[in-house]
Amino acid sequence: MLGLVRREGFAIVNEPETADAIIVNTCGFIRAAVREGIAAVIELAGYKTSGACKALIVTGCMVTRYKDDILAELPEVDAILGTRELPRIVDVIKRIFNGPASEPGADESSEDLYINRALSTHMGYAYLKIAEGCDNRCTYCAIPYIKGPHKSRQADSLLAEAANLAAQGVRELVLVAQDTTMYGKDIYGRPSLDILLRKLSDIPEIAWLRVMYAYPENITEALITEIAENNKICKYLDMPVQHASDSVLKRMGRKSAETELRGLIGRLRETIPGIALRTTIMTGFPGETQRDFKILRNFVEDMRFEHLGAFTFSREEGVPAYTMKGHLPEKLKNDRRDILLKKQAGISLNNNKQFVAQTLTVLTEGRVPDEENPQGCLYCGRSYRDCPENDGMVFFHSDEEIMSGDFVNVLISEAGEHDLYGMRISDESSQ
Ligand code: SF4
């Protein structure tokens, strides 16, 4: 949307009080996200009286899921666009300001929408959305109902978008979708993420490729080999497993049992030495017993993930788990989540300590305030082990100025649960 409005000649401003039109792009897959979206809409609606705002437009998943409620309950909203209607954003703005007879914006397909992107941040990385929708139908998840079935994007379109991002200074592409490992099955007849990664790695300016949201059953041998052998693919994989107890996995509609998950993780660690694994798990699924939780706890203990996100089950209307028996009290769900997070904190710290006195290549994101030494030059960035926004950071000092998107070598001197600390060293001294 940013790319489209910018191309049409609109100026993009960062302060809502100066904006003539405010667009709130929402998430809507769990209640907590919807609450956050509604709070943002109400807060930003205030700029219609205290600022320049004449058009408040709400877009995204919350609109797709709760269109009628938004129109009925939020009269401050001037227009809405669901996830599949985003290419119409320019038309909508023009109609609000110039009336229904206004000149329509360029006719954009959703592929153009992706290729003509404008970056909102310049930190050396960008997300690359390789598919939309999901065919998995996990019983707790509203996403397939919001986004529809899995639909891969054409490789040519993705390569054009990636080249455009590389020309804007992007050095790391983070591949995302609801299910990245399903990529290509619908249009090329087989899961083709390995082939896509190889093609993307031919773009000279792109140095790192990272895969998020890998559904375990679609991780093929070809993909494992590509990650192991292609130097541009970070030795990193985000693979949400959700649970480890077979009975919970079955009721969740997940396809793997615990033994298969353990086997896959063992194979990944063996074939890709040094791989950093991230996962997501859920506590408090309906009917989760103390025994189920113990199985999950042991699994977390044994797998020693580099990064782990733990969430509690959210009871969402319209999904099969909503009507299942055995819903647990919020306190119990929270307690179980906290036990796992505490356990993981110790595992992460131990994993991180292994990097003290080692040198890591770091993609610089920017300079950060140094409280201990306000005159000093403290920077932050990420190594191959960390995805943007969710994982840890590497904080480091440097005598020379560094720009966002620069790769540097950092000698690690200290490790925390999430972050690493160190000093930039010259390329020669890291040899
Ligand atoms: S794979 Fe992910 S997006 Fe698809 S249904 Fe399951 S949880 Fe939802």
Side-chain angles (χ1 to χ4, degrees):
M1 285 192 288
L2 274 180
L4 294 180
V5 296
R6 192 179 63 175
R7 207 168 49 150
E8 200 68 21
F10 293 106
I12 294 161
V13 294
N14 287 324
E15 302 304 328
E17 56 268 29
T18 60
D20 296 314
I22 295 178
I23 302 168
V24 188
N25 195 26
T26 60
C27 176
F29 85 115
I30 54 170
R31 264 177 299 162
V34 172
R35 273 198 296 270
E36 209 176 302
I38 292 169
V41 171
I42 291 170
E43 185 193 328
L44 290 164
Y47 292 106
K48 289 184 98 172
T49 43
S50 69
C53 179
K54 291 170 210 71
L56 181 62
I57 303 165
V58 184
T59 64
C61 294
M62 186 173 89
V63 172
T64 308
R65 196 170 178 198
Y66 296 110
K67 186 177 180 175
D68 295 339
D69 298 309
I70 294 171
L71 290 173
E73 308 287 330
L74 297 166
E76 308 90 333
V77 174
D78 296 289
I80 55 172
L81 286 175
T83 45
R84 284 162 200 256
E85 301 166 319
L86 304 186
R88 290 184 43 229
I89 187 67
V90 170
D91 264 355
V92 165
I93 295 174
K94 283 187 163 184
R95 277 167 204 275
I96 293 173
F97 283 94
N98 305 337
S102 61
E103 183 107 330
D107 189 16
E108 302 285 354
S109 73
S110 40
E111 290 304 321
D112 291 331
L113 176 78
Y114 282 118
I115 295 169
N116 294 310
R117 274 172 67 184
L119 287 174
S120 54
T121 56
H122 292 274
M123 291 191 287
Y125 71 85
Y127 295 99
L128 188 67
K129 188 76 165 289
I130 64 171
E132 266 292 10
C134 186
D135 292 342
N136 289 318
R137 306 264 159 175
C138 303
T139 56
Y140 51 84
C141 181
I143 288 177
Y145 306 93
I146 302 172
K147 298 269 187 181
H150 175 95
K151 189 169 182 300
S152 302
R153 289 179 56 204
Q154 294 290 336
D156 288 350
S157 162
L158 289 163
L159 290 168
E161 180 179 351
N164 173 323
L165 292 168
Q168 294 186 59
V170 167
R171 297 291 165 263
E172 176 186 0
L173 290 173
V174 184
L175 275 60
V176 294
Q178 273 75 50
D179 177 356
T180 49
T181 39
M182 183 71 134
Y183 176 78
K185 201 167 177 192
D186 49 331
I187 52 175
Y188 303 123
R190 77 146 173 107
S192 315
L193 183 57
D194 54 315
I195 299 171
L196 177 67
L197 285 164
R198 205 173 319 140
K199 287 184 178 164
L200 288 168
S201 65
D202 286 338
I203 299 172
E205 299 89 346
I206 297 298
W208 279 1
L209 294 160
R210 187 184 298 280
V211 178
M212 307 296 291
Y213 309 115
Y215 194 82
E217 287 68 33
N218 294 330
I219 296 178
T220 59
E221 288 308 318
L223 177 61
I224 296 177
T225 307
E226 191 62 32
I227 298 175
E229 294 179 356
N230 187 328
N231 288 337
K232 285 197 176 179
I233 306 174
C234 292
K235 307 309 172 215
Y236 176 103
L237 194 63
D238 168 52
M239 183 181 69
V241 297
Q242 307 300 352
H243 215 282
S245 157
D246 288 355
S247 75
V248 177
L249 285 167
K250 196 157 174 229
R251 276 178 295 120
M252 281 180 160
R254 305 285 298 184
K255 298 185 186 92
S256 290
E258 183 189 4
T259 329
E260 284 146 9
L261 291 173
R262 283 179 179 261
L264 175 62
I265 291 164
R267 218 158 60 249
L268 287 167
R269 292 216 187 272
E270 199 179 311
T271 319
I272 312 169
I275 190 170
L277 292 175
R278 170 177 187 84
T279 200
T280 312
I281 49 176
M282 183 191 292
T283 59
F285 189 78
E288 181 190 63
T289 61
Q290 191 57 38
R291 185 173 170 274
D292 293 323
F293 179 64
K294 195 172 162 207
I295 292 170
L296 179 58
R297 212 174 52 198
N298 290 343
F299 181 80
V300 168
E301 173 110 42
D302 294 347
M303 294 300 105
R304 312 201 77 69
F305 291 102
E306 277 66 22
H307 307 284
L308 179 141
F311 301 88
T312 56
F313 168 77
S314 173
R315 189 175 184 180
E316 295 298 315
E317 282 172 348
V319 303
Y322 186 81
T323 49
M324 282 182 185
K325 291 200 174 78
H327 285 271
L328 304 186
E330 288 302 318
K331 182 169 181 327
L332 183 57
K333 295 187 210 174
N334 289 336
D335 288 349
R336 288 180 175 174
R337 176 201 57 200
D338 293 347
I339 289 169
L340 294 179
L341 287 176
K342 198 166 166 206
K343 182 169 285 300
Q344 180 62 32
I347 295 170
S348 295
L349 179 61
N350 272 333
N351 284 341
N352 280 350
K353 277 181 178 169
Q354 295 167 19
F355 289 88
V356 173
Q358 292 205 28
T359 302
L360 283 173
T361 303
V362 170
L363 176 59
T364 309
E365 287 200 356
R367 199 166 161 176
V368 288
D370 186 351
E371 281 163 18
E372 285 171 19
N373 176 13
Q375 307 306 323
C377 291
L378 182 64
Y379 292 87
C380 69
R382 290 173 296 104
S383 76
Y384 80 94
R385 302 175 69 242
D386 300 307
C387 77
E389 301 186 272
N390 280 325
D391 296 337
M393 303 290 292
V394 179
F395 292 91
F396 60 96
H397 287 95
S398 170
D399 298 332
E400 286 168 40
E401 194 178 349
I402 312 170
M403 307 302 290
S404 302
D406 284 352
F407 282 98
V408 294
N409 289 314
V410 175
L411 179 63
I412 304 300
S413 55
E414 202 185 322
E417 268 168 34
H418 298 290
D419 304 321
L420 295 169
Y421 306 85
M423 168 67 92
R424 183 200 174 178
I425 55 171
S426 65
D427 294 348
E428 294 79 51
S429 48
S430 68
Q431 299 295 305

